[in-house]
Amino acid sequence: MARNRLKDAAVKIGSAAGKVDATAHRAALKAAKAAHVAKQELNDLSKQVDALKKQLSKSTKRLRSALK
């Protein structure tokens, strides 16, 4: 009788541990995906900033030559 209770308790503990592990794994995957998306957005913004810098440099050159 005591063995059955211990076995049942062990099964419940193992089941709970498995559920926690699965939940943690899903959360880690979600975090990794969010980080990947954020990295892509940051790269896109960086490219846009570089393009704006280039455009500003060209405009500055044109303005300086026009003011001469």
Side-chain angles (χ1 to χ4, degrees), residues 7-56:
K7 187 177 178 182
D8 290 344
V11 167
K12 286 181 182 180
I13 291 169
S15 177
K19 287 179 184 178
V20 168
D21 186 45
T23 302
H25 183 70
R26 282 192 299 272
L29 288 177
K30 284 182 183 179
K33 186 176 181 180
H36 180 70
V37 169
K39 183 179 178 185
Q40 285 180 333
E41 288 178 358
L42 185 59
N43 285 340
D44 291 344
L45 287 173
S46 178
K47 287 178 185 178
Q48 288 178 0
V49 167
D50 289 340
L52 288 172
K53 282 182 185 179
K54 189 175 180 180
Q55 185 180 0
L56 179 62

